[in-house]
Amino acid sequence: MTKSKWITGVIFAAAMPLAVSTALAQEPGKHPTTGAEMQYQAGSSPLAGVDMYQDINPKAPPMSKPEFDAAREIYFQRCAGCHGVLRKGATGKPLTPDKTIPNGTEYLKVFIKYGSPAGMPNWGTSGELTDAQVDLMARYVQQTPPQPPEFSLKDMEATWKEIIPVAKRPTKKMNNFNIANIFSVTLRDSGEVALIDGDSKKILNIVKTGYAVHISRTSASGRYLFVIGRDARINLIDLWMEKPDNVAEIKVGLEARSVETSKFKGYEDKLAIAGTYWPPQFVIMDGDTLKPRKIVSTRGMTVNNEYHPEPRVASIVASHYHPEFVVNAKETGKIMMVNYSDLNNLKITTLDAAQFLHDGGMDSTGRYFLVAANASNKIAVVDTKEDKMAALIDVGKIPHPGRGANFVHPKFGPVWATSHLGDETISLIGTDPVKHKAQAWKVVETVKGQGGGSLFIKTNPKSKNLWVDTPLNPDAKISQSIAVFDINNLQKGFEVLPIADWAGIGEGAKRIVQPEYNQAGDEVWFSVWSAKDKESAIVIVDDKTRKLKAVIKDKRLITPTGKFNVNNTQHDIY
């Protein structure tokens, strides 16, 4: 959504009767939704195409089956990210019949069309929905919410494919590639990842995966690559093969974001875990085949002691101190330390953090995990050695660090940094409770970047640069460039590099997303992300000089977004 459309919506909403503009706004105390957050939250869901049962509510306005299906598709494309699959509320307010029917269709149409100052987008006046679609959605949210099917161990086993059995896989590396410097690049809209040789800058293979791969994770040994699509399909890629490719796959639900592999000594490559948005649960699998072994539901009480039926599993990381996975449940604000040493008698230590947990990463020592509770504007810190909360820190508006950035501040010592979706700030948090105790688990410095709409921040132990993207900023000049700071002189401000211009491609959004270092730490790779029918590219910058080093163009690079260097992902270097 453009900035002008967003402003228009706020003006129209402000002119509405106060009761209408606030009746279905977000819960009291929650931040207004920004244009950048709306773009982020309202991304289409794979559940849009899932067949669901229609319950006829006699108190609701009539809807035909075709109307209901059309409205359901719109809801999962644009609304579920904020209001939840079951419309019970997430970052947005509940939209269940007990809330919506008393208001009536005409009342709801005004709210959907004009939005509200509290954060509801102006779907009608922005041109996103026609008047007919607004009417459709006003009637739809008065119906009983359709519930997608559950996904059992039996359902998973029916999708599981061991494409190349372990016994038939290579017993040694069969290629001459420097595997540690391979990049797994998400090709979002084609349902693939591109494996790119970081040395030669050549595409080694385009591997078929699930839709919109969210992350790639490297096994502890560096041999296997796990990728998970938003459609909850996991692919296991063997990097030892002459031409790295899929050796196993499974579908673990209907919508997902996270996958991880066991890294504790003695358990390397033995297990994998995936968390799903729907159903709200996680599954533990064999690490070399993806055979499902154990499912655990995340439904339960929030940190505010209210029951939530849909706590989506966000990020998962592997502990280096115990045979544990750190599992984050978004809506409940609970962090689960899942001990995988005995799957038959699974031990889970649950920590209370803050609601709307999302992504995060380890500090430089690998002991502390810092995760964004984005809609709560907080960073939660977990001591993975002691299995307890170390801190809950207030930061800027809607933190979205990716895995964050670790570096040594010239004044405050070791810090971890996050940028934000909702504002232009970058928060630096002290991470050394031994030598810098006074600064530990506090925001020691805040600097300003280009603007809001940031998704990723990155540096490297060998670098003096701190890179911050802003792909969801409504200003094209900002979304098509990158800000870079000198770590030793942050107050000097940032330099802007015109990455999209350097790409030398044609028309398109050309949003610059996710800086990622190569193995040596002397190159930074950026995705130049345009639409599926437009040209995209990868731009590589020399980290020392900040000058253009190379551009990778290929018609197969369709909507490149996330990039994951094998070495950095394997060793948690960020």
Side-chain angles (χ1 to χ4, degrees), residues 41-50 52 72-81 84-85 148 188 211-212 230-231 254-257 277-278 310 312:
Q41 295 279 17
S44 62
S45 163
L47 291 170
V50 175
M52 303 179 198
R72 176 172 57 83
E73 185 172 350
I74 292 172
Y75 181 82
F76 283 106
Q77 285 177 340
R78 301 182 183 276
C79 314
V85 169
R188 186 187 187 280
Y211 167 71
R230 289 181 64 171
D231 56 2
L254 299 176
E255 185 170 2
R257 296 294 188 280
Y277 270 26
W278 188 269
E310 191 190 332
R312 297 172 286 184

Side-chain angles (χ1 to χ4, degrees), residues 113-184:
K113 182 171 182 175
Y114 294 106
S116 82
M120 174 72 173
N122 52 312
W123 293 110
T125 56
S126 70
E128 298 289 332
L129 297 179
T130 65
D131 285 346
Q133 289 173 321
V134 168
D135 175 76
L136 193 67
M137 297 311 296
R139 288 183 286 136
Y140 174 78
V141 296
Q142 296 176 73
Q143 309 294 327
T144 301
Q147 180 165 323
E150 300 294 323
F151 217 79
S152 67
L153 194 68
K154 185 178 179 180
D155 294 325
M156 293 182 195
E157 289 174 340
T159 71
W160 173 51
K161 298 176 184 177
E162 195 174 3
I163 300 165
I164 301 178
V166 173
K168 294 185 178 181
R169 295 178 198 169
T171 56
K172 62 180 181 179
K173 185 169 170 283
M174 300 299 291
N175 58 58
N176 294 320
F177 307 136
N178 175 14
I179 288 178
N181 201 32
I182 288 176
F183 288 75
S184 176

Side-chain angles (χ1 to χ4, degrees), residues 1-3 36 39 421 449-456 468-483 494 496-501 503 505 508-515 526-530 560:
M1 181 179 294
T2 65
K3 186 175 182 180
Q39 290 185 58
L421 262 168
Q450 287 201 86
S454 176
L455 293 179
F456 297 99
V468 185
D469 71 10
T470 42
L472 297 186
N473 194 283
D475 186 332
K477 289 183 179 179
I478 296 176
S479 66
Q480 294 181 6
S481 60
I482 197 81
F494 54 85
V496 177
L497 302 186
I499 304 295
D501 291 344
I505 58 178
K510 294 182 284 191
R511 290 172 288 190
I512 308 307
V513 63
Q514 200 199 35
F526 300 93
S527 295
V528 185
W529 171 25
S530 285

Side-chain angles (χ1 to χ4, degrees), residues 301-321:
M301 306 304 288
T302 71
V303 292
N304 299 320
N305 294 312
E306 298 174 346
Y307 177 75
H308 202 290
E310 191 190 332
R312 297 172 286 184
V313 177
S315 55
I316 302 175
V317 297
S319 171
H320 299 281
Y321 286 87

Side-chain angles (χ1 to χ4, degrees), residues 301-303 324-329 332-338 348-355 357 369 371 380-392:
M301 306 304 288
T302 71
V303 292
E324 291 179 340
F325 294 119
V326 185
V327 178
N328 299 276
T332 58
K334 303 275 187 175
I335 299 175
M336 291 159 279
M337 315 298 287
V338 181
I348 301 177
T349 301
T350 303
L351 310 178
D352 282 0
Q355 281 190 288
L357 297 167
F369 173 63
V371 59
V381 185
V382 177
D383 183 343
T384 65
K385 183 178 181 180
E386 300 293 335
D387 278 4
K388 63 182 183 181
M389 290 291 297
L392 199 57

Side-chain angles (χ1 to χ4, degrees), residues 72-114:
R72 176 172 57 83
E73 185 172 350
I74 292 172
Y75 181 82
F76 283 106
Q77 285 177 340
R78 301 182 183 276
C79 314
C82 281
H83 297 286
V85 169
L86 302 178
R87 306 209 311 258
K88 295 283 188 179
T91 51
K93 195 171 182 179
L95 294 176
T96 46
D98 61 310
K99 307 283 187 184
T100 55
I101 288 177
N103 288 312
T105 301
E106 293 304 316
Y107 189 95
L108 293 167
K109 282 166 64 175
V110 172
F111 183 76
I112 295 169
K113 182 171 182 175
Y114 294 106

Side-chain angles (χ1 to χ4, degrees), residues 170-353:
T171 56
K172 62 180 181 179
K173 185 169 170 283
M174 300 299 291
N175 58 58
N176 294 320
F177 307 136
N178 175 14
I179 288 178
N181 201 32
I182 288 176
F183 288 75
S184 176
V185 181
T186 295
L187 305 181
R188 186 187 187 280
D189 294 325
S190 65
E192 299 167 321
V193 294
L195 301 181
I196 303 179
D197 182 355
D199 294 343
S200 68
K201 313 297 189 288
K202 293 182 179 178
I203 296 175
L204 304 176
N205 197 14
I206 302 290
V207 181
K208 289 292 182 183
T209 64
Y211 167 71
V213 164
H214 194 67
I215 56 172
S216 298
R217 288 289 178 262
T218 309
S219 68
S221 70
R223 173 176 181 172
Y224 289 113
L225 189 68
F226 298 79
V227 299
I228 188 165
R230 289 181 64 171
D231 56 2
R233 176 177 163 183
I234 303 173
N235 288 81
L236 180 64
I237 298 169
D238 188 351
L239 299 175
W240 278 13
M241 294 170 63
E242 184 175 352
K243 185 178 183 180
D245 209 337
N246 287 318
V247 292
E249 71 175 44
I250 190 172
K251 189 172 173 62
V252 294
L254 299 176
E255 185 170 2
R257 296 294 188 280
S258 53
V259 67
E260 182 60 292
T261 173
S262 53
K263 292 184 176 180
F264 187 67
K265 187 176 180 180
Y267 291 89
E268 298 93 335
D269 295 21
K270 290 185 180 295
L271 295 170
I273 184 173
T276 48
Y277 270 26
W278 188 269
Q281 60 192 31
F282 61 86
V283 57
I284 299 175
M285 303 158 282
D286 288 337
D288 56 355
T289 67
L290 300 182
K291 181 179 180 179
R293 299 278 300 279
K294 187 85 170 183
I295 297 177
V296 178
S297 173
T298 56
R299 293 178 170 105
M301 306 304 288
T302 71
V303 292
N304 299 320
N305 294 312
E306 298 174 346
Y307 177 75
H308 202 290
E310 191 190 332
R312 297 172 286 184
V313 177
S315 55
I316 302 175
V317 297
S319 171
H320 299 281
Y321 286 87
H322 302 285
E324 291 179 340
F325 294 119
V326 185
V327 178
N328 299 276
K330 185 185 288 283
E331 277 72 25
T332 58
K334 303 275 187 175
I335 299 175
M336 291 159 279
M337 315 298 287
V338 181
N339 189 301
Y340 51 73
S341 60
D342 182 357
L343 296 186
N344 292 322
N345 300 283
L346 201 65
K347 180 182 176 181
I348 301 177
T349 301
T350 303
L351 310 178
D352 282 0

